[in-house]
Amino acid sequence: MRLENEVFVVTGAQGGMGKETVKRFLEEGAFVVAVDLNVDGVVESDYLLPIAADLTKEEEVANVFSSAFEKFERIDGLVNIAGIAQPATPIEEVSLADWEKIMRVNATAPFLTCRAAVPFMKNNGGGVIVNIASISIVRPRPGLNAYIASKGAAVSFSQALAIELADYGIRVNVVNPGPADTKMLGEFTAKNNDIEATKESVFKKSVPLGRLISPNDIANSLVYLCSKEASIVTGSVLNVDGGRGI
Ligand SMILES: NC(=O)c1ccc[n+]([C@@H]2O[C@H](COP(=O)([O-])OP(=O)(O)OC[C@H]3O[C@@H](n4cnc5c(N)ncnc54)[C@H](O)[C@@H]3O)[C@@H](O)[C@H]2O)c1
């Protein structure tokens, strides 16, 4: 098993990619702290600790990490999957409140969780962080202005941490998913557009390998980046996108 006995905090654990990642990490022998706004129906076990938290709130983030440490007595890794979409919107119609909300969830929450995780990792003499951004930062789509800015911030922040934390044996990487077959994909379409038709005619067509990215594609890349197989990989951005970024 590739993550045996390691403790990971996984955010966005109830979403399309998050659920699959929690499952795969458990299969690889990890202990998992599964965090989302709502964790109803997720049953605690010796290996799994579900925690409901709004990761834009400092005190809730602090509680996630103290509860995780209380149960598992160490924290080896953090995988930030939580995020929100933006319906494609012309820039002059984007409200300040919408901009700030997207930045708070997609950029500030990873800052808060990384800041909380790093002291535990420094104490362990190492650790690993993976932040999920988006291939849209490489190939933007019209109207996703705030979303793309927030994901760009997440990438720059991750690379800044990769250099800052290298001396401590803490690796920090990014995964850029391409259009993925989850609930979120429909949330990028402009208001009043047919979601299912857009998935087929716009998103699927945009992937050179000819299919949407599956949650399992993302979970596989996360297992790799969090495992010892990637022990020399830091500051990298892995596009898991079927070639969409080319
Ligand atoms: N689906 C795609 O096509 C696609 C493409 C590129 C990147 N991404 C990114 O991948 C990640 C996962 O997306 P997904 O497709 O699984 O989406 P999803 O909507 O299924 O899951 C996102 C999860 O994040 C949680 N979340 C949102 N705000 C939160 C908060 N404040 N605190 C705690 N949890 C919160 C939601 O409750 C949800 O369960 C996101 O960061 C997204 O931006 C998705």
Side-chain angles (χ1 to χ4, degrees):
M1 288 199 278
R2 296 153 80 193
L3 304 173
E4 197 157 19
N5 292 331
E6 305 213 25
V7 180
F8 288 89
V9 174
V10 177
T11 79
Q14 290 281 69
M17 296 180 197
K19 259 194 186 151
E20 184 66 19
T21 299
V22 169
K23 181 171 151 275
R24 288 282 287 112
F25 274 44
L26 290 170
E27 285 167 3
E28 294 292 348
F31 297 97
V32 178
V33 182
V35 187
D36 208 306
L37 289 170
N38 183 319
V39 289
D40 293 353
V42 187
V43 180
E44 183 172 350
S45 72
D46 289 349
Y47 288 88
L48 179 63
L49 175 63
I51 303 181
D54 179 345
L55 296 166
T56 64
K57 303 215 163 103
E58 231 173 344
E59 59 291 352
E60 296 193 25
V61 171
N63 176 56
V64 165
F65 286 86
S66 58
S67 306
F69 188 74
E70 202 174 300
K71 178 162 172 117
F72 294 122
E73 298 179 342
R74 54 186 293 131
I75 294 167
D76 301 293
L78 166 65
V79 181
N80 273 313
I81 303 178
I84 52 172
Q86 175 185 23
T89 313
I91 186 63
E92 63 275 29
E93 291 171 24
V94 177
S95 69
L96 179 59
D98 284 347
W99 169 274
E100 286 181 338
K101 180 167 186 209
I102 291 165
M103 294 302 281
R104 249 198 333 274
V105 178
N106 293 350
T108 306
F111 152 66
L112 290 174
T113 53
C114 289
R115 190 182 64 173
V118 161
F120 294 100
M121 295 179 184
K122 283 185 174 175
N123 270 345
N124 292 349
V128 59
I129 296 171
V130 184
N131 293 321
I132 299 281
S134 168
I135 198 60
S136 62
I137 66 164
V138 178
R139 289 198 70 192
R141 253 179 217 296
L144 301 188
N145 32 57
Y147 179 80
I148 292 169
S150 71
K151 293 298 189 179
V155 174
S156 301
F157 174 62
S158 303
Q159 292 183 320
L161 286 191
I163 194 65
E164 178 180 331
L165 299 173
D167 274 351
Y168 299 91
I170 302 171
R171 301 184 294 108
V172 186
N173 292 294
V174 174
V175 167
N176 276 346
D181 200 2
T182 70
K183 173 178 72 60
M184 182 179 282
L185 191 57
E187 296 165 1
F188 289 112
T189 52
K191 285 177 188 127
N192 307 321
N193 272 14
D194 179 336
I195 290 173
E196 286 311 310
T198 310
K199 266 193 190 178
E200 250 337 278
S201 65
V202 178
F203 291 114
K204 199 168 147 188
K205 258 203 178 143
S206 74
V207 180
L209 283 181
R211 68 162 171 85
L212 293 175
I213 284 65
S214 74
N216 194 243
D217 294 321
I218 302 302
N220 283 336
S221 69
L222 292 170
V223 168
Y224 163 69
L225 285 171
C226 289
S227 75
K228 300 209 167 38
E229 294 157 27
S231 61
I232 200 65
V233 181
T234 196
S236 75
V237 181
L238 179 56
N239 297 342
V240 182
D241 69 335
R244 162 73 186 148
I246 298 165

